[in-house]
PDB file of all heavy atoms in Angstrom:
ATOM      1  N   LEU Q   1      -8.989  -0.806  22.728  1.00  0.00           N
ATOM      2  CA  LEU Q   1      -7.555  -0.942  22.482  1.00  0.00           C
ATOM      3  C   LEU Q   1      -7.296  -1.761  21.217  1.00  0.00           C
ATOM      4  O   LEU Q   1      -6.431  -1.403  20.403  1.00  0.00           O
ATOM      5  CB  LEU Q   1      -6.872  -1.608  23.682  1.00  0.00           C
ATOM      6  CG  LEU Q   1      -5.354  -1.767  23.586  1.00  0.00           C
ATOM      7  CD1 LEU Q   1      -4.679  -0.403  23.496  1.00  0.00           C
ATOM      8  CD2 LEU Q   1      -4.819  -2.549  24.787  1.00  0.00           C
ATOM      9  N   ALA Q   2      -8.047  -2.844  21.050  1.00  0.00           N
ATOM     10  CA  ALA Q   2      -7.894  -3.654  19.832  1.00  0.00           C
ATOM     11  C   ALA Q   2      -8.194  -2.820  18.591  1.00  0.00           C
ATOM     12  O   ALA Q   2      -7.487  -2.906  17.580  1.00  0.00           O
ATOM     13  CB  ALA Q   2      -8.823  -4.865  19.896  1.00  0.00           C
ATOM     14  N   GLY Q   3      -9.235  -1.991  18.676  1.00  0.00           N
ATOM     15  CA  GLY Q   3      -9.575  -1.125  17.552  1.00  0.00           C
ATOM     16  C   GLY Q   3      -8.497  -0.101  17.269  1.00  0.00           C
ATOM     17  O   GLY Q   3      -8.114   0.125  16.112  1.00  0.00           O
ATOM     18  N   ILE Q   4      -7.978   0.531  18.321  1.00  0.00           N
ATOM     19  CA  ILE Q   4      -6.946   1.557  18.153  1.00  0.00           C
ATOM     20  C   ILE Q   4      -5.680   0.966  17.525  1.00  0.00           C
ATOM     21  O   ILE Q   4      -5.104   1.540  16.593  1.00  0.00           O
ATOM     22  CB  ILE Q   4      -6.621   2.213  19.507  1.00  0.00           C
ATOM     23  CG1 ILE Q   4      -7.786   3.115  19.950  1.00  0.00           C
ATOM     24  CG2 ILE Q   4      -5.317   3.016  19.434  1.00  0.00           C
ATOM     25  CD1 ILE Q   4      -7.632   3.658  21.360  1.00  0.00           C
ATOM     26  N   LEU Q   5      -5.248  -0.186  18.016  1.00  0.00           N
ATOM     27  CA  LEU Q   5      -3.984  -0.752  17.553  1.00  0.00           C
ATOM     28  C   LEU Q   5      -4.068  -1.276  16.127  1.00  0.00           C
ATOM     29  O   LEU Q   5      -3.158  -1.063  15.316  1.00  0.00           O
ATOM     30  CB  LEU Q   5      -3.522  -1.850  18.506  1.00  0.00           C
ATOM     31  CG  LEU Q   5      -3.242  -1.397  19.947  1.00  0.00           C
ATOM     32  CD1 LEU Q   5      -2.657  -2.524  20.774  1.00  0.00           C
ATOM     33  CD2 LEU Q   5      -2.324  -0.182  19.981  1.00  0.00           C
ATOM     34  N   THR Q   6      -5.150  -1.975  15.787  1.00  0.00           N
ATOM     35  CA  THR Q   6      -5.283  -2.450  14.403  1.00  0.00           C
ATOM     36  C   THR Q   6      -5.529  -1.280  13.454  1.00  0.00           C
ATOM     37  O   THR Q   6      -5.073  -1.297  12.301  1.00  0.00           O
ATOM     38  CB  THR Q   6      -6.408  -3.481  14.278  1.00  0.00           C
ATOM     39  OG1 THR Q   6      -7.598  -3.000  14.941  1.00  0.00           O
ATOM     40  CG2 THR Q   6      -6.008  -4.812  14.874  1.00  0.00           C
ATOM     41  N   MET Q   7      -6.217  -0.256  13.927  1.00  0.00           N
ATOM     42  CA  MET Q   7      -6.404   0.952  13.124  1.00  0.00           C
ATOM     43  C   MET Q   7      -5.056   1.622  12.862  1.00  0.00           C
ATOM     44  O   MET Q   7      -4.764   2.059  11.743  1.00  0.00           O
ATOM     45  CB  MET Q   7      -7.344   1.908  13.862  1.00  0.00           C
ATOM     46  CG  MET Q   7      -7.750   3.149  13.098  1.00  0.00           C
ATOM     47  SD  MET Q   7      -8.985   4.060  14.082  1.00  0.00           S
ATOM     48  CE  MET Q   7      -9.135   5.552  13.091  1.00  0.00           C
ATOM     49  N   ALA Q   8      -4.202   1.681  13.881  1.00  0.00           N
ATOM     50  CA  ALA Q   8      -2.880   2.295  13.722  1.00  0.00           C
ATOM     51  C   ALA Q   8      -2.057   1.552  12.681  1.00  0.00           C
ATOM     52  O   ALA Q   8      -1.376   2.167  11.855  1.00  0.00           O
ATOM     53  CB  ALA Q   8      -2.147   2.319  15.063  1.00  0.00           C
ATOM     54  N   PHE Q   9      -2.123   0.232  12.693  1.00  0.00           N
ATOM     55  CA  PHE Q   9      -1.348  -0.543  11.728  1.00  0.00           C
ATOM     56  C   PHE Q   9      -1.880  -0.391  10.306  1.00  0.00           C
ATOM     57  O   PHE Q   9      -1.167  -0.693   9.339  1.00  0.00           O
ATOM     58  CB  PHE Q   9      -1.322  -2.023  12.101  1.00  0.00           C
ATOM     59  CG  PHE Q   9      -0.348  -2.830  11.283  1.00  0.00           C
ATOM     60  CD1 PHE Q   9       1.018  -2.694  11.477  1.00  0.00           C
ATOM     61  CD2 PHE Q   9      -0.799  -3.698  10.297  1.00  0.00           C
ATOM     62  CE1 PHE Q   9       1.925  -3.414  10.711  1.00  0.00           C
ATOM     63  CE2 PHE Q   9       0.098  -4.426   9.534  1.00  0.00           C
ATOM     64  CZ  PHE Q   9       1.470  -4.288   9.733  1.00  0.00           C
ATOM     65  N   SER Q  10      -3.090   0.128  10.174  1.00  0.00           N
ATOM     66  CA  SER Q  10      -3.690   0.338   8.847  1.00  0.00           C
ATOM     67  C   SER Q  10      -3.348   1.697   8.259  1.00  0.00           C
ATOM     68  O   SER Q  10      -3.682   1.965   7.096  1.00  0.00           O
ATOM     69  CB  SER Q  10      -5.226   0.220   8.956  1.00  0.00           C
ATOM     70  OG  SER Q  10      -5.619  -1.014   9.493  1.00  0.00           O
ATOM     71  N   MET Q  11      -2.670   2.558   9.027  1.00  0.00           N
ATOM     72  CA  MET Q  11      -2.566   3.966   8.656  1.00  0.00           C
ATOM     73  C   MET Q  11      -1.565   4.291   7.550  1.00  0.00           C
ATOM     74  O   MET Q  11      -1.572   5.406   7.027  1.00  0.00           O
ATOM     75  CB  MET Q  11      -2.216   4.807   9.897  1.00  0.00           C
ATOM     76  CG  MET Q  11      -3.348   4.979  10.897  1.00  0.00           C
ATOM     77  SD  MET Q  11      -4.772   5.855  10.223  1.00  0.00           S
ATOM     78  CE  MET Q  11      -5.849   4.485   9.788  1.00  0.00           C
ATOM     79  N   ARG Q  12      -0.688   3.351   7.175  1.00  0.00           N
ATOM     80  CA  ARG Q  12       0.299   3.650   6.126  1.00  0.00           C
ATOM     81  C   ARG Q  12       0.367   2.564   5.056  1.00  0.00           C
ATOM     82  O   ARG Q  12       1.152   2.673   4.116  1.00  0.00           O
ATOM     83  CB  ARG Q  12       1.697   3.830   6.745  1.00  0.00           C
ATOM     84  CG  ARG Q  12       1.844   5.009   7.687  1.00  0.00           C
ATOM     85  CD  ARG Q  12       1.674   6.342   6.993  1.00  0.00           C
ATOM     86  NE  ARG Q  12       1.875   7.463   7.905  1.00  0.00           N
ATOM     87  CZ  ARG Q  12       0.911   7.992   8.659  1.00  0.00           C
ATOM     88  NH1 ARG Q  12      -0.331   7.523   8.589  1.00  0.00           N
ATOM     89  NH2 ARG Q  12       1.181   9.007   9.459  1.00  0.00           N
ATOM     90  N   LEU Q  13      -0.452   1.534   5.169  1.00  0.00           N
ATOM     91  CA  LEU Q  13      -0.342   0.385   4.271  1.00  0.00           C
ATOM     92  C   LEU Q  13      -0.562   0.766   2.810  1.00  0.00           C
ATOM     93  O   LEU Q  13       0.143   0.292   1.918  1.00  0.00           O
ATOM     94  CB  LEU Q  13      -1.343  -0.702   4.690  1.00  0.00           C
ATOM     95  CG  LEU Q  13      -1.151  -1.270   6.103  1.00  0.00           C
ATOM     96  CD1 LEU Q  13      -2.220  -2.307   6.403  1.00  0.00           C
ATOM     97  CD2 LEU Q  13       0.241  -1.884   6.254  1.00  0.00           C
ATOM     98  N   ALA Q  14      -1.538   1.621   2.544  1.00  0.00           N
ATOM     99  CA  ALA Q  14      -1.821   2.009   1.157  1.00  0.00           C
ATOM    100  C   ALA Q  14      -0.743   2.925   0.598  1.00  0.00           C
ATOM    101  O   ALA Q  14      -0.631   3.070  -0.623  1.00  0.00           O
ATOM    102  CB  ALA Q  14      -3.186   2.700   1.068  1.00  0.00           C
ATOM    103  N   VAL Q  15       0.051   3.525   1.475  1.00  0.00           N
ATOM    104  CA  VAL Q  15       1.089   4.456   1.032  1.00  0.00           C
ATOM    105  C   VAL Q  15       2.329   3.705   0.567  1.00  0.00           C
ATOM    106  O   VAL Q  15       2.860   3.951  -0.522  1.00  0.00           O
ATOM    107  CB  VAL Q  15       1.469   5.438   2.165  1.00  0.00           C
ATOM    108  CG1 VAL Q  15       2.590   6.369   1.722  1.00  0.00           C
ATOM    109  CG2 VAL Q  15       0.249   6.241   2.601  1.00  0.00           C
ATOM    110  N   THR Q  16       2.806   2.764   1.366  1.00  0.00           N
ATOM    111  CA  THR Q  16       4.108   2.150   1.094  1.00  0.00           C
ATOM    112  C   THR Q  16       4.025   0.789   0.416  1.00  0.00           C
ATOM    113  O   THR Q  16       5.052   0.252   0.003  1.00  0.00           O
ATOM    114  CB  THR Q  16       4.913   2.007   2.406  1.00  0.00           C
ATOM    115  OG1 THR Q  16       4.182   1.177   3.324  1.00  0.00           O
ATOM    116  CG2 THR Q  16       5.164   3.366   3.032  1.00  0.00           C
ATOM    117  N   SER Q  17       2.826   0.228   0.280  1.00  0.00           N
ATOM    118  CA  SER Q  17       2.712  -1.079  -0.372  1.00  0.00           C
ATOM    119  C   SER Q  17       2.701  -0.975  -1.893  1.00  0.00           C
ATOM    120  O   SER Q  17       2.960  -1.970  -2.585  1.00  0.00           O
ATOM    121  CB  SER Q  17       1.425  -1.784   0.090  1.00  0.00           C
ATOM    122  OG  SER Q  17       0.275  -1.041  -0.288  1.00  0.00           O
ATOM    123  N   THR Q  18       2.435   0.211  -2.448  1.00  0.00           N
ATOM    124  CA  THR Q  18       2.251   0.353  -3.889  1.00  0.00           C
ATOM    125  C   THR Q  18       3.511   0.717  -4.680  1.00  0.00           C
ATOM    126  O   THR Q  18       3.778   0.100  -5.721  1.00  0.00           O
ATOM    127  CB  THR Q  18       1.153   1.398  -4.179  1.00  0.00           C
ATOM    128  OG1 THR Q  18      -0.028   1.043  -3.450  1.00  0.00           O
ATOM    129  CG2 THR Q  18       0.829   1.451  -5.651  1.00  0.00           C
ATOM    130  N   PRO Q  19       4.330   1.713  -4.287  1.00  0.00           N
ATOM    131  CA  PRO Q  19       5.475   2.109  -5.123  1.00  0.00           C
ATOM    132  C   PRO Q  19       6.403   0.974  -5.553  1.00  0.00           C
ATOM    133  O   PRO Q  19       6.841   0.966  -6.708  1.00  0.00           O
ATOM    134  CB  PRO Q  19       6.200   3.136  -4.235  1.00  0.00           C
ATOM    135  CG  PRO Q  19       5.108   3.740  -3.421  1.00  0.00           C
ATOM    136  CD  PRO Q  19       4.181   2.601  -3.118  1.00  0.00           C
ATOM    137  N   PRO Q  20       6.697  -0.029  -4.698  1.00  0.00           N
ATOM    138  CA  PRO Q  20       7.578  -1.104  -5.167  1.00  0.00           C
ATOM    139  C   PRO Q  20       6.971  -1.949  -6.288  1.00  0.00           C
ATOM    140  O   PRO Q  20       7.692  -2.705  -6.946  1.00  0.00           O
ATOM    141  CB  PRO Q  20       7.783  -1.963  -3.904  1.00  0.00           C
ATOM    142  CG  PRO Q  20       7.472  -1.063  -2.761  1.00  0.00           C
ATOM    143  CD  PRO Q  20       6.388  -0.167  -3.260  1.00  0.00           C
ATOM    144  N   LEU Q  21       5.658  -1.806  -6.513  1.00  0.00           N
ATOM    145  CA  LEU Q  21       4.966  -2.661  -7.482  1.00  0.00           C
ATOM    146  C   LEU Q  21       4.752  -2.007  -8.840  1.00  0.00           C
ATOM    147  O   LEU Q  21       4.142  -2.605  -9.723  1.00  0.00           O
ATOM    148  CB  LEU Q  21       3.593  -3.083  -6.913  1.00  0.00           C
ATOM    149  CG  LEU Q  21       3.618  -3.850  -5.593  1.00  0.00           C
ATOM    150  CD1 LEU Q  21       2.202  -4.120  -5.112  1.00  0.00           C
ATOM    151  CD2 LEU Q  21       4.381  -5.166  -5.755  1.00  0.00           C
ATOM    152  N   PHE Q  22       5.226  -0.777  -9.003  1.00  0.00           N
ATOM    153  CA  PHE Q  22       4.964  -0.065 -10.263  1.00  0.00           C
ATOM    154  C   PHE Q  22       5.413  -0.879 -11.479  1.00  0.00           C
ATOM    155  O   PHE Q  22       4.730  -0.926 -12.497  1.00  0.00           O
ATOM    156  CB  PHE Q  22       5.653   1.299 -10.258  1.00  0.00           C
ATOM    157  CG  PHE Q  22       4.978   2.329  -9.386  1.00  0.00           C
ATOM    158  CD1 PHE Q  22       5.633   3.514  -9.055  1.00  0.00           C
ATOM    159  CD2 PHE Q  22       3.702   2.129  -8.885  1.00  0.00           C
ATOM    160  CE1 PHE Q  22       5.020   4.466  -8.263  1.00  0.00           C
ATOM    161  CE2 PHE Q  22       3.079   3.071  -8.079  1.00  0.00           C
ATOM    162  CZ  PHE Q  22       3.736   4.246  -7.770  1.00  0.00           C
ATOM    163  N   GLY Q  23       6.559  -1.515 -11.379  1.00  0.00           N
ATOM    164  CA  GLY Q  23       7.051  -2.317 -12.500  1.00  0.00           C
ATOM    165  C   GLY Q  23       6.140  -3.489 -12.815  1.00  0.00           C
ATOM    166  O   GLY Q  23       5.938  -3.836 -13.987  1.00  0.00           O
ATOM    167  N   HIS Q  24       5.583  -4.117 -11.800  1.00  0.00           N
ATOM    168  CA  HIS Q  24       4.673  -5.238 -12.007  1.00  0.00           C
ATOM    169  C   HIS Q  24       3.314  -4.779 -12.547  1.00  0.00           C
ATOM    170  O   HIS Q  24       2.627  -5.534 -13.239  1.00  0.00           O
ATOM    171  CB  HIS Q  24       4.456  -5.996 -10.688  1.00  0.00           C
ATOM    172  CG  HIS Q  24       5.656  -6.726 -10.192  1.00  0.00           C
ATOM    173  ND1 HIS Q  24       6.731  -6.084  -9.617  1.00  0.00           N
ATOM    174  CD2 HIS Q  24       5.973  -8.052 -10.192  1.00  0.00           C
ATOM    175  CE1 HIS Q  24       7.651  -6.982  -9.267  1.00  0.00           C
ATOM    176  NE2 HIS Q  24       7.218  -8.178  -9.613  1.00  0.00           N
ATOM    177  N   MET Q  25       2.950  -3.538 -12.244  1.00  0.00           N
ATOM    178  CA  MET Q  25       1.635  -3.036 -12.637  1.00  0.00           C
ATOM    179  C   MET Q  25       1.605  -2.541 -14.079  1.00  0.00           C
ATOM    180  O   MET Q  25       0.543  -2.506 -14.707  1.00  0.00           O
ATOM    181  CB  MET Q  25       1.215  -1.903 -11.691  1.00  0.00           C
ATOM    182  CG  MET Q  25       1.044  -2.346 -10.244  1.00  0.00           C
ATOM    183  SD  MET Q  25       0.983  -0.961  -9.059  1.00  0.00           S
ATOM    184  CE  MET Q  25      -0.539  -0.154  -9.563  1.00  0.00           C
ATOM    185  N   ARG Q  26       2.750  -2.157 -14.625  1.00  0.00           N
ATOM    186  CA  ARG Q  26       2.780  -1.480 -15.930  1.00  0.00           C
ATOM    187  C   ARG Q  26       2.160  -2.266 -17.085  1.00  0.00           C
ATOM    188  O   ARG Q  26       1.573  -1.652 -17.976  1.00  0.00           O
ATOM    189  CB  ARG Q  26       4.215  -1.067 -16.255  1.00  0.00           C
ATOM    190  CG  ARG Q  26       4.674   0.164 -15.470  1.00  0.00           C
ATOM    191  CD  ARG Q  26       5.966   0.782 -16.010  1.00  0.00           C
ATOM    192  NE  ARG Q  26       6.346   1.921 -15.195  1.00  0.00           N
ATOM    193  CZ  ARG Q  26       7.283   1.896 -14.249  1.00  0.00           C
ATOM    194  NH1 ARG Q  26       7.935   0.772 -14.021  1.00  0.00           N
ATOM    195  NH2 ARG Q  26       7.574   2.975 -13.547  1.00  0.00           N
ATOM    196  N   PRO Q  27       2.264  -3.593 -17.136  1.00  0.00           N
ATOM    197  CA  PRO Q  27       1.607  -4.295 -18.245  1.00  0.00           C
ATOM    198  C   PRO Q  27       0.086  -4.098 -18.275  1.00  0.00           C
ATOM    199  O   PRO Q  27      -0.526  -4.191 -19.333  1.00  0.00           O
ATOM    200  CB  PRO Q  27       1.964  -5.765 -17.992  1.00  0.00           C
ATOM    201  CG  PRO Q  27       3.256  -5.712 -17.242  1.00  0.00           C
ATOM    202  CD  PRO Q  27       3.123  -4.502 -16.356  1.00  0.00           C
ATOM    203  N   GLU Q  28      -0.526  -3.798 -17.102  1.00  0.00           N
ATOM    204  CA  GLU Q  28      -1.977  -3.624 -17.045  1.00  0.00           C
ATOM    205  C   GLU Q  28      -2.382  -2.174 -16.783  1.00  0.00           C
ATOM    206  O   GLU Q  28      -3.435  -1.726 -17.254  1.00  0.00           O
ATOM    207  CB  GLU Q  28      -2.558  -4.518 -15.946  1.00  0.00           C
ATOM    208  CG  GLU Q  28      -2.347  -5.999 -16.192  1.00  0.00           C
ATOM    209  CD  GLU Q  28      -2.928  -6.838 -15.069  1.00  0.00           C
ATOM    210  OE1 GLU Q  28      -4.156  -6.824 -14.897  1.00  0.00           O
ATOM    211  OE2 GLU Q  28      -2.145  -7.512 -14.363  1.00  0.00           O
ATOM    212  N   LEU Q  29      -1.591  -1.450 -16.015  1.00  0.00           N
ATOM    213  CA  LEU Q  29      -1.858  -0.037 -15.733  1.00  0.00           C
ATOM    214  C   LEU Q  29      -0.623   0.773 -16.148  1.00  0.00           C
ATOM    215  O   LEU Q  29       0.503   0.425 -15.775  1.00  0.00           O
ATOM    216  CB  LEU Q  29      -2.138   0.189 -14.240  1.00  0.00           C
ATOM    217  CG  LEU Q  29      -3.396  -0.445 -13.652  1.00  0.00           C
ATOM    218  CD1 LEU Q  29      -3.475  -0.152 -12.158  1.00  0.00           C
ATOM    219  CD2 LEU Q  29      -4.642   0.066 -14.344  1.00  0.00           C
ATOM    220  N   VAL Q  30      -0.853   1.839 -16.870  1.00  0.00           N
ATOM    221  CA  VAL Q  30       0.272   2.650 -17.343  1.00  0.00           C
ATOM    222  C   VAL Q  30       0.712   3.593 -16.226  1.00  0.00           C
ATOM    223  O   VAL Q  30       0.213   4.718 -16.088  1.00  0.00           O
ATOM    224  CB  VAL Q  30      -0.105   3.443 -18.609  1.00  0.00           C
ATOM    225  CG1 VAL Q  30       1.113   4.235 -19.111  1.00  0.00           C
ATOM    226  CG2 VAL Q  30      -0.606   2.500 -19.684  1.00  0.00           C
ATOM    227  N   ILE Q  31       1.638   3.153 -15.397  1.00  0.00           N
ATOM    228  CA  ILE Q  31       2.174   3.961 -14.304  1.00  0.00           C
ATOM    229  C   ILE Q  31       3.464   4.597 -14.795  1.00  0.00           C
ATOM    230  O   ILE Q  31       4.561   4.030 -14.674  1.00  0.00           O
ATOM    231  CB  ILE Q  31       2.433   3.116 -13.046  1.00  0.00           C
ATOM    232  CG1 ILE Q  31       1.180   2.339 -12.645  1.00  0.00           C
ATOM    233  CG2 ILE Q  31       2.908   4.003 -11.899  1.00  0.00           C
ATOM    234  CD1 ILE Q  31       0.056   3.186 -12.137  1.00  0.00           C
TER     235      ILE Q  31
END
């Protein structure tokens, strides 16, 4: 159960954590 629940919370983090940061990333990465 611990594995399932922490795995579930990991399922969208890489998707929604990045778009708000595009402005901060541009000086180093050309987004």
Side-chain angles (χ1 to χ4, degrees):
L1 182 62
I4 288 172
L5 298 186
T6 48
M7 186 175 173
F9 190 72
S10 303
M11 287 297 98
R12 296 295 182 273
L13 299 179
V15 178
T16 60
S17 62
T18 307
L21 301 176
F22 285 166
H24 292 75
M25 297 165 65
R26 284 194 181 101
E28 297 179 65
L29 295 178
V30 182
I31 307 291

